[in-house]
Amino acid sequence: MYKQSIYTDEKFWVSEQLGFENLPGLKEPFKNTGDKPVAAVYQTWSTEGYLPYIYYSIMSQILYTDISEKADLYIFIDDERYEYAKWVFRDLVDESCFIKVSRMMAVKYMVTCHPVLHKYNAVAVCDSDMFFYSSEKRDFYKNIELHYAESNDVILIDSNISAKETFWSRQEGLNKNVKAEDYIDFFDREIKLDPDFLKTWLEQNTWLISPIFIYNPKTFINPKYYQYAITCAYKEFYCDETVWLMWSLARLVQISAIQQNKLMDVEVCLDFKGLDFQSYADLHQFNKKIAMIHPLSGPGRINPTCLEFLRKVEKEFRNTHGE
């Protein structure tokens, strides 16, 4: 029997089933060394419901990626939840993995301002409810390191949806404190994004989404970005993709889709289409590459298949690490 979620947002139905009861840990919790080339980052939008997802996402990364060898791990947490989060994660990650920030600074597009990330060759911001899966551990972070030895682009996930359509729907639903008639002028005014260039880009491209967002820190080490991000935060922008994409366009930073990156070789899974997890894994040949799974969006929020998958991750983690 499934528990009824205490949250009004159905996104947390799976989170409520998972909880923190009797979760596996590591004999020695994950600890940052400070000398790895890549940083992997999580944040919580100041919502406790994301914490179980982050726990399971980190377990999936330890199982199926080279995060332990190639990346430091940071969880940005607002000061109200900082001590609680350290306690519930105590068997999985060390205190060095937690960064205490104000509620405003805990949102995704503010995280890219934080100086702790500036020393890395690349940073991967992972959605709290984005998980990894593979038949074996794969060199995900090593390949990020190799990519950024030669490129300074930003990498997201191609949604195959019109950029123009999404740009305006995000304004209406997530960034509505800047009115539609002033929206394009807002980006011109704040970051000198040419309106004609933006309109052309919107007509010719698809929107990129950020279950994962990978970048060179130098792209955002800029006082003007900090000022722009703070302005967006005060305007209560809730679409991090809009903030990041518009900055990248204004600075002529190349924008890439991870699906087209042969070096990283991932399978993106945004829903399970009513299948059980093993059927979906067989259909998409998860045994041949690493899958990035972000199924808790749209109509798929109450998602027993996602619960089945995460229990599978938990069982494998327990069997692998013996805790």
Side-chain angles (χ1 to χ4, degrees), residues 59 61 123 152 168 235 246 250 254 264 295:
M59 286 197 294
Q61 292 226 50
V123 177
N152 289 317
W168 288 111
K235 295 287 187 182
M246 297 307 105
Q254 182 177 345
M264 295 180 198

Side-chain angles (χ1 to χ4, degrees), residues 24-239:
L26 296 168
K27 294 178 181 178
E28 295 185 13
F30 187 105
K31 184 176 182 178
N32 289 338
T33 63
D35 60 357
K36 293 176 183 174
V38 183
V41 171
Y42 290 91
Q43 57 77 50
T44 68
W45 291 99
S46 301
T47 303
E48 292 90 341
Y50 281 116
L51 293 177
Y53 293 143
I54 295 175
Y55 200 105
Y56 277 79
S57 183
I58 292 172
M59 286 197 294
S60 75
Q61 292 226 50
I62 292 171
L63 278 172
Y64 308 121
T65 80
D66 55 344
I67 189 172
S68 300
E69 296 76 29
K70 282 291 183 179
D72 282 338
L73 171 65
Y74 294 101
I75 303 170
F76 285 79
I77 188 88
D78 61 282
D79 45 17
E80 297 173 45
R81 294 160 182 81
Y82 177 72
E83 294 296 335
Y84 173 66
K86 284 197 302 180
W87 183 80
V88 297
F89 282 77
R90 65 195 181 280
D91 294 327
L92 186 66
V93 301
D94 179 84
E95 185 174 350
S96 65
C97 297
F98 289 92
I99 303 293
K100 180 167 64 172
V101 293
S102 67
R103 286 176 66 96
M104 178 180 287
M105 296 296 292
V107 300
K108 287 167 71 176
Y109 58 80
M110 294 301 301
V111 164
T112 47
C113 299
H114 201 285
V116 74
L117 303 177
H118 290 179
K119 65 184 176 181
Y120 294 94
N121 299 339
V123 177
V125 181
C126 304
D127 261 11
S128 302
D129 52 350
M130 206 272 293
F131 314 101
F132 292 77
Y133 180 78
S134 183
S135 59
E136 60 187 51
K137 183 175 283 195
R138 299 184 187 273
D139 287 339
F140 183 70
Y141 288 99
K142 178 181 178 180
N143 290 336
I144 290 176
E145 178 190 14
L146 292 173
H147 176 85
Y148 280 94
E150 299 181 352
S151 177
N152 289 317
D153 60 350
V154 299
I155 300 174
L156 300 95
I157 291 173
D158 191 349
S159 67
N160 292 314
I161 298 173
S162 160
K164 182 178 179 180
E165 173 186 335
T166 309
F167 176 79
W168 288 111
S169 68
R170 296 298 175 86
Q171 179 276 325
E172 182 178 2
L174 298 174
N175 305 330
K176 57 188 175 184
N177 283 347
V178 176
K179 296 184 182 301
E181 58 266 27
D182 190 43
Y183 201 46
I184 287 180
D185 288 340
F186 171 83
F187 297 108
D188 182 21
R189 183 170 61 250
E190 296 298 328
I191 54 175
K192 308 300 184 202
L193 175 54
D194 180 79
D196 291 333
F197 176 72
L198 173 56
K199 290 173 184 176
T200 299
W201 186 85
L202 292 173
E203 291 286 352
Q204 295 179 352
N205 290 274
T206 55
W207 191 259
L208 292 101
I209 59 176
S210 60
I212 194 164
F213 173 65
I214 310 171
Y215 67 95
N216 182 331
K218 293 178 181 177
T219 301
F220 298 96
I221 302 175
N222 188 320
K224 292 181 180 180
Y225 176 78
Y226 184 82
Q227 180 180 353
Y228 161 61
I230 285 286
T231 300
C232 291
Y234 275 113
K235 295 287 187 182
E236 298 183 346
F237 275 37
Y238 294 115
C239 180

